[in-house]
């Protein structure tokens, strides 16, 4: 699976993202709109992650979707 499928199915994916990262608000999820860079940025803001940590956390989550 590639990230385009996450983007294309964002309405369905929002629930999975919210389960994983409960601090993200509905406004965050709307702003992210399936874009990986926006998701990583939101994780940095809400969780205080470093950029590399956010990328790794998204990679780990994404690998569970296959």
């Amino acid at each position: 699976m590639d990230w385009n499928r996450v983007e294309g199915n964002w309405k369905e994916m929002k629930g999975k993202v919210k389960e994983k990262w409960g601090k993200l608000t509905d406004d965050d999820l709307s702003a992210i709109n399936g874009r990986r860079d926006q998701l990583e940025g939101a994780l940095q803001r809400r969780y205080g992650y470093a950029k590399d940590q956010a990328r790794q956390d998204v990679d780990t989550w994404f690998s569970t979707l296959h």
Side-chain angles (χ1 to χ4, degrees):
M1 174 151 91
D2 64 2
W3 193 262
N4 291 333
R5 293 205 31 218
V6 173
E7 247 182 282
N9 296 312
W10 185 240
K11 286 186 180 182
E12 292 81 26
M13 291 295 175
K14 281 197 291 192
K16 292 181 181 191
V17 169
K18 188 80 168 170
E19 282 178 28
K20 172 73 175 158
W21 297 290
K23 290 183 183 179
L24 296 179
T25 65
D26 290 337
D27 286 344
D28 289 333
L29 296 173
S30 293
I32 292 165
N33 199 29
R35 294 186 312 266
R36 183 184 175 121
D37 62 326
Q38 295 293 318
L39 174 58
E40 291 175 5
L43 293 177
Q44 290 175 56
R45 285 190 304 281
R46 295 286 178 207
Y47 287 86
Y49 287 175
K51 187 174 184 132
D52 289 343
Q53 184 181 4
R55 181 178 297 121
Q56 183 175 356
D57 212 19
V58 171
D59 282 343
T60 301
W61 171 77
F62 183 67
S63 71
T64 68
L65 298 177
H66 302 176

